[in-house]
Amino acid sequence: MRHGKSGRQLGRNSSHRKAMYRNMVTSLLDHERIETTLAKAKELRGKTEKNITVALRLGEILEKDAEKRTREEQVKVVHAMRTVGKTVQSREILNKLFTDIAPRLKGRPGGYTRIIKTRRRPGDAAEMAIIELVCRED
């Protein structure tokens, strides 16, 4: 029985799946728009939005300069960055999330990504989709 086992397996073992999702979250935050299969995009949405939510929970703390933060605020920022850093693989993209993307999404109550179905892949007829951040800069 498969009770209580959430998430798509995508024909991969758990370590491969986890690595693939880390790479895809990092790429999505870097490029703000990627094309992938529909199943991967649907799984990626939740993982990306959880990381964005962690950054957004800091709220007003991110708007302050690092020198003007209290010790407690700095501890919260470090904890949030380390939490998201488990998924996001690049220090530059981690900083981009906290300094650029999170302020653009401030005040939005969720729904930070958008999935657009595009085509069927010629090789195996897999449904393809574009997943992008709603605050994407062109």
Side-chain angles (χ1 to χ4, degrees):
M1 290 187 291
R2 200 177 177 276
H3 298 301
K5 297 185 179 182
S6 63
R8 294 168 177 83
Q9 294 183 7
L10 302 173
R12 292 163 171 79
N13 61 32
S14 60
S15 61
H16 184 183
R17 204 168 37 248
K18 187 176 178 182
M20 180 187 68
Y21 288 139
R22 280 195 313 258
N23 288 332
M24 291 179 76
V25 168
T26 304
S27 294
L28 179 59
L29 293 174
D30 185 20
H31 301 292
E32 300 185 11
R33 179 181 191 159
I34 58 173
E35 184 180 23
T36 184
T37 63
L38 183 61
K40 287 179 190 172
K42 287 180 177 179
E43 282 295 309
L44 181 63
R45 167 187 274 172
K47 295 176 185 345
T48 304
E49 291 194 2
K50 283 181 183 177
N51 287 319
I52 293 172
T53 300
V54 169
L56 285 175
R57 282 191 183 146
L58 294 175
E60 304 296 324
I61 297 173
L62 289 178
E63 294 176 3
K64 293 183 181 179
D65 290 333
E67 299 83 25
K68 294 183 180 179
R69 293 179 186 149
T70 65
R71 174 131 175 89
E72 292 79 22
E73 290 173 340
Q74 190 59 34
V75 167
K76 287 181 180 181
V77 171
V78 170
H79 177 66
M81 290 188 94
R82 285 181 178 166
T83 302
V84 175
K86 293 176 185 177
T87 306
V88 178
Q89 297 179 320
S90 169
R91 179 69 109 181
E92 295 82 27
I93 297 169
L94 188 64
N95 287 331
K96 178 181 178 182
L97 171 62
F98 281 87
T99 60
D100 183 34
I101 296 172
R104 282 190 277 155
L105 291 169
K106 183 181 171 191
R108 190 175 179 89
Y112 310 119
T113 57
R114 173 186 303 128
I115 296 176
I116 304 165
K117 294 180 184 180
T118 55
R119 62 188 173 97
R120 290 217 175 246
R121 190 164 50 198
D124 59 357
E127 282 190 282
M128 299 298 287
I130 291 174
I131 181 168
E132 64 183 8
L133 298 176
V134 293
C135 65
R136 190 170 78 86
E137 291 179 350
D138 291 324

